Amino acid sequence: DTEVTQTPKHLVMGMTNKKSLKCEQHMGHRAMYWYKQKAKKPPELMFVYSYEKLSINESVPSRFSPECPNSSLLNLHLHALQPEDSALYLCASSQDPPGALKNIQYFGAGTRLSVL
Amino acid sequence: GNSVTQMEGPVTLSEEAFLTINCTYTATGYPSLFWYVQYPGEGLQLLLKATKADDKGSNKGFEATYRKETTSFHLEKGSVQVSDSAVYFCALSDRQGGSEKLVFGKGTKLTVNP
């Protein structure tokens, strides 16, 4: 099983709303990632969690707040978003043992977010 | 920093035509190289990978060879099908802050017509 499950598939929210995106994997992977993908662009890395600790934050605005409650779950809390934050949000996971350089990232199908 | 340069699309081919999508990279050290594919409305799927020089990755009739001397990882397929229509991303791995991150090219949209 190489599945990464993201919910919801689609989300429409207003600029004053608070919502959360959820990502789950049961492959025993210890690294999890959030990416943002605008139309006709490659994914842009937002956050990396390694062993449930935030490892990389690519200078993402504080209106995006990641959370890794356990090794299988990754959340992205959204608050006071702007219309330009509308995009496909992708979650990925990989094994990421220490010192490895050859890990494969497995991606979910994404959450398509529209901010009105 | 590390970067990936991918040929601009879109690419439109007839079924059974030969496909090449060029990819070159700039990196310190010897990163792993990947091709990911994204079908309409979906996330990314790993198509193939290579972890060291002269490695050839292959899957579903697609191939790419890790060429250190030309810093390239071109994607090829001998006979494309309509079902291969998708966006293809070349990527390399980059270690940062104790974790691994992918650096993507801009993507190449392939359309295969019957």
Side-chain angles (χ1 to χ4, degrees):
Chain A
D1 181 11
T2 56
E3 190 170 335
V4 176
T5 304
Q6 288 188 246
T7 55
K9 292 192 186 307
H10 302 276
L11 179 63
V12 179
M13 61 186 289
M15 288 189 283
T16 58
N17 292 158
K18 285 185 182 181
K19 296 286 185 183
S20 296
L21 310 184
K22 181 179 170 182
C23 175
E24 196 166 0
Q25 57 86 15
H26 296 287
M27 295 179 277
H29 289 175
R30 302 313 298 267
M32 296 186 77
Y33 310 76
W34 279 116
Y35 289 85
K36 173 183 178 180
Q37 186 179 24
K38 301 284 275 185
K40 300 184 180 181
K41 297 288 187 184
E44 298 174 13
L45 184 66
M46 300 174 73
F47 303 103
V48 181
Y49 273 82
S50 179
Y51 290 81
E52 296 147 59
K53 288 186 171 23
L54 185 63
S55 174
I56 298 176
N57 177 342
E58 295 283 84
S59 303
V60 178
S62 59
R63 56 186 184 268
F64 295 92
S65 175
E67 178 197 19
C68 191
N70 60 57
S71 59
S72 300
L73 273 176
L74 183 66
N75 298 320
L76 186 62
H77 303 298
L78 314 172
H79 174 53
L81 295 193
Q82 303 298 310
E84 60 264 29
D85 296 321
S86 299
L88 180 68
Y89 287 84
L90 294 165
C91 174
S93 70
S94 68
Q95 285 185 330
D96 197 37
L101 280 173
K102 309 186 194 322
N103 282 292
I104 297 169
Q105 291 188 23
Y106 295 89
F107 284 79
T111 294
R112 191 160 297 281
L113 174 68
S114 296
V115 182
L116 305 179
Chain B
N2 295 350
S3 65
V4 174
T5 302
Q6 205 175 323
M7 70 181 278
E8 297 282 334
V11 174
T12 303
L13 296 173
S14 298
E15 210 165 19
E16 299 184 3
F18 185 85
L19 169 71
T20 300
I21 301 178
N22 289 339
C23 172
T24 57
Y25 66 91
T26 302
T28 53
Y30 304 102
S32 293
L33 301 174
F34 305 86
W35 277 100
Y36 278 86
V37 58
Q38 187 172 31
Y39 298 101
E42 297 185 12
L44 276 70
Q45 300 176 25
L46 178 70
L47 182 59
L48 52 84
K49 71 178 177 73
T51 57
K52 61 183 187 298
D54 299 325
D55 263 4
K56 177 187 280 189
S58 61
N59 186 25
K60 300 181 182 178
F62 290 89
E63 292 183 342
T65 300
Y66 192 142
R67 301 282 188 203
K68 187 164 71 77
E69 63 276 13
T70 54
T71 61
S72 65
F73 193 55
H74 305 320
L75 182 68
E76 295 182 338
K77 186 174 185 182
S79 176
V80 293
Q81 305 299 312
V82 172
S83 57
D84 294 327
S85 298
V87 179
Y88 292 81
F89 292 97
C90 185
L92 63 78
S93 60
D94 187 12
R95 200 78 181 172
Q96 176 181 327
S99 291
E100 189 157 306
K101 57 185 282 188
L102 288 173
V103 177
F104 287 96
K106 291 186 177 181
T108 303
K109 183 176 181 180
L110 170 66
T111 301
V112 180
N113 295 318

